[in-house]
């Protein structure tokens, strides 16, 4: 019959080997998930912004566009028609809302001080988007004559000499959601037309711009980190299980080594006393006395002139030495436990 402790060790090693197999499977599974996560598709967003203007003079059919290089006397300008085009293209479909609004200001500078007074507030224009293209074209008029009169009244009352600009801003916003990326995309642009308040008007607008940028799923790298952490946890488990198996093997082998050395020493030392048995005799009808050491059994052999019978009951685990005298059996057991 095998030693229960040894059987427990072997059973534990089998369980650990199963756990190593399971951990290895999940390690490979999440490692592959990590690689797939890195390949999540990206979205490219292309934006093109254009702004221009036409100038109408009093009692004159002449119009100036921003492409003309001629400057104009401010007092001769009736109004400025400003037009703009905003185009945003998403490489993947999105849905949400975009809008624009116009604000007008008089910006007055005196030294390091800047005062910005709002003179025009336009409505907020909202539109729904369900697709991949935003194309926004519109225009508005700047009633320059009215603005200048109001401005001059303010400066005359204040009796100050300032450098001023009339500025109109077109602010464009979008807030959309991408199912492919699993996140919202929000952006804002401001296009500006600026008119210096002086004798010679030099109108400027926001330069035409074309931009491209990439958006990635915000879950991309977060998921990758989670998968990597899970992989490290399973790898750590595998290492711990292997170390436990190594310790168990060393423990078992260590006990086997001590037991075998002790057995070999006894067999060599008391060789002349030993008789090797093929089978363990039936001692059920005998009185069994267990002795403390092999020396005690040798003394009994010397007194009774009976040789010591020897059999290894469990290979590399337990041996039995005995002297059977009439109805009494003197027994010494050597095992890994007491080696």
């Amino acid at each position: 019959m095998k030693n229960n402790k040894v059987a427990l060790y072997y059973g534990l090693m089998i369980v650990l080997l199963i756990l190593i197999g399971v951990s290895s499977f999940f390690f490979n599974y999440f490692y592959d998930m990590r690689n797939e996560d890195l390949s999540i598709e990206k979205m490219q967003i292309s934006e093109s912004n254009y702004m221009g203007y036409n100038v109408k003079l009093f009692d004159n059919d002449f119009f100036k566009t921003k492409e003309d290089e001629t400057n104009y006397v401010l007092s001769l300008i009736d109004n400025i028609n400003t037009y703009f085009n905003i185009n945003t293209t998403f490489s993947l479909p999105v849905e949400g809302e975009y809008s624009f609004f116009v604000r007008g200001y008089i910006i007055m500078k005196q030294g390091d001080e800047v005062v910005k007074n709002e003179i025009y507030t336009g409505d907020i224009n909202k539109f729904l988007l369900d697709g991949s293209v935003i194309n926004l074209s519109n225009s508005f008029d700047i009633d320059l004559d009215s603005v200048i009169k109001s401005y001059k009244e303010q400066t005359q009352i204040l009796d100050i000499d300032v450098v001023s600009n009339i500025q109109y801003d077109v602010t464009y916003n979008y807030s959309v959601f991408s199912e492919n990326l699993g996140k919202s995309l929000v952006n804002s642009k401001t296009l500006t037309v600026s008119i210096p308040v002086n004798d010679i008007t030099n109108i400027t607008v926001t330069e035409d711009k074309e931009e491209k940028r990439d958006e990635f799923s915000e879950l991309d790298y977060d998921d990758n980190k989670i998968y990597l952490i899970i992989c490290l946890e399973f790898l750590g488990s595998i290492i711990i299980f292997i170390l436990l198996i190594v310790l168990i093997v060393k423990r078992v082998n260590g006990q086997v080594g001590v037991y075998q050395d002790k057995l070999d020493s006894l067999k060599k030392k008391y060789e002349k006393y030993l008789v090797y048995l093929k089978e363990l005799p039936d001692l059920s009808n005998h009185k069994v006395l267990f002795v403390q050491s092999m020396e005690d059994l040798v003394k009994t052999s010397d007194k009774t002139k009976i040789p010591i019978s020897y059999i290894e009951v469990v290979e590399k685990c337990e041996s039995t030495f005995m002297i059977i005298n009439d109805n009494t059996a003197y027994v010494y057991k050597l095992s890994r436990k007491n080696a």
Side-chain angles (χ1 to χ4, degrees):
M1 181 177 177
K2 285 193 173 183
N3 186 292
N4 290 335
K5 194 171 183 180
V6 174
L8 180 63
Y9 283 152
Y10 283 120
L12 184 56
M13 281 194 289
I14 291 172
V15 171
L16 290 173
L17 287 172
I18 293 172
L19 290 175
I20 288 174
V22 173
S23 298
S24 299
F25 170 80
F26 282 109
F27 172 83
N28 291 327
Y29 174 79
F30 284 107
Y31 189 84
D32 291 340
M33 288 285 289
R34 181 191 68 88
N35 290 334
E36 290 178 7
D37 187 64
L38 287 174
S39 65
I40 288 179
E41 59 186 324
K42 66 181 180 181
M43 173 189 286
Q44 186 176 79
I45 301 176
S46 302
E47 296 182 341
S48 176
N49 305 315
Y50 175 82
M51 195 167 190
Y53 61 87
N54 292 315
V55 177
K56 181 182 179 183
L57 304 181
F58 285 112
D59 300 325
N60 197 322
D61 292 332
F62 185 83
F63 286 83
K64 175 192 174 185
T65 67
K66 82 182 190 72
E67 288 78 14
D68 298 323
E69 296 181 356
T70 307
N71 293 325
Y72 286 87
V73 177
L74 184 61
S75 60
L76 297 180
I77 298 176
D78 182 6
N79 65 57
I80 298 175
N81 176 256
T82 305
Y83 52 90
F84 59 91
N85 177 265
I86 297 170
N87 184 278
T88 303
T89 304
F90 304 92
S91 62
L92 298 171
V94 295
E95 60 179 29
E97 181 181 88
Y98 64 96
S99 63
F100 81 91
F101 59 86
V102 180
R103 298 286 185 269
Y105 308 93
I106 291 180
I107 301 174
M108 295 181 287
K109 300 179 182 179
Q110 188 177 40
D112 294 333
E113 294 186 15
V114 178
V115 178
K116 188 175 184 180
N117 295 326
E118 187 171 307
I119 58 174
Y120 176 79
T121 303
D123 295 332
I124 298 176
N125 301 274
K126 295 183 178 181
F127 310 91
L128 295 178
L129 171 64
D130 186 3
S132 57
V133 178
I134 295 175
N135 196 327
L136 180 59
S137 297
N138 217 307
S139 65
F140 60 92
D141 289 329
I142 301 174
D143 187 355
L144 197 58
D145 182 52
S146 174
V147 173
I148 291 299
K149 285 179 181 180
S150 175
Y151 163 73
K152 287 182 177 180
E153 289 174 0
Q154 292 180 38
T155 54
Q156 285 174 359
I157 293 171
L158 296 172
D159 192 23
I160 56 175
D161 183 21
V162 294
V163 177
S164 303
N165 281 0
I166 298 170
Q167 179 175 306
Y168 276 70
D169 295 339
V170 179
T171 301
Y172 151 69
N173 304 285
Y174 67 73
S175 177
V176 296
F177 182 79
S178 169
E179 288 284 352
N180 298 79
L181 300 187
K183 71 174 185 178
S184 295
L185 304 172
V186 179
N187 200 12
S188 180
K189 295 283 185 181
T190 298
L191 308 181
T192 299
V193 54
S194 181
I195 309 162
V197 181
N198 48 38
D199 289 338
I200 303 299
T201 301
N202 192 5
I203 303 172
T204 59
V205 294
T206 301
E207 293 183 0
D208 300 344
K209 289 184 179 179
E210 291 188 7
E211 298 178 354
K212 289 185 179 181
R213 71 178 190 277
D214 294 328
E215 287 282 352
F216 297 88
S217 169
E218 62 185 12
L219 302 177
D220 184 4
Y221 298 107
D222 290 342
D223 282 355
N224 182 50
K225 289 178 182 177
I226 292 172
Y227 295 144
L228 184 59
I229 290 171
I230 294 174
C231 287
L232 291 175
E233 289 177 348
F234 278 111
L235 182 61
S237 299
I238 292 171
I239 293 172
I240 291 172
F241 295 149
I242 292 174
L243 289 175
L244 288 173
I245 289 177
V246 170
L247 289 175
I248 291 172
V249 170
K250 288 184 69 175
R251 174 78 178 241
V252 172
N253 288 341
Q255 290 181 339
V256 170
V258 172
Y259 162 81
Q260 193 65 47
D261 289 344
K262 182 71 175 290
L263 178 62
D264 291 344
S265 175
L266 292 177
K267 287 166 68 176
K268 182 177 181 181
K269 184 176 181 179
Y270 302 109
E271 182 178 5
K272 65 181 181 179
Y273 291 93
L274 299 181
V275 174
Y276 291 82
L277 301 178
K278 289 185 177 181
E279 295 181 358
L280 187 66
D282 183 9
L283 301 178
S284 58
N285 295 322
H286 292 71
K287 180 181 180 181
V288 179
L289 299 176
F290 290 96
V291 299
Q292 293 292 324
S293 65
M294 187 66 175
E295 286 75 11
D296 293 335
L297 203 59
V298 170
K299 289 178 183 178
T300 303
S301 176
D302 288 337
K303 288 180 182 180
T304 60
K305 305 301 180 182
I306 299 174
I308 299 173
S309 300
Y310 159 73
I311 185 171
E312 190 168 19
V313 181
V314 180
E315 187 178 0
K316 296 183 179 181
C317 185
E318 183 179 306
S319 295
T320 298
F321 300 86
M322 68 186 74
I323 295 175
I324 300 175
N325 185 17
D326 297 331
N327 294 327
T328 303
Y330 302 90
V331 179
Y332 169 67
K333 280 191 175 183
L334 176 66
S335 65
R336 291 182 185 177
K337 189 174 181 180
N338 66 358

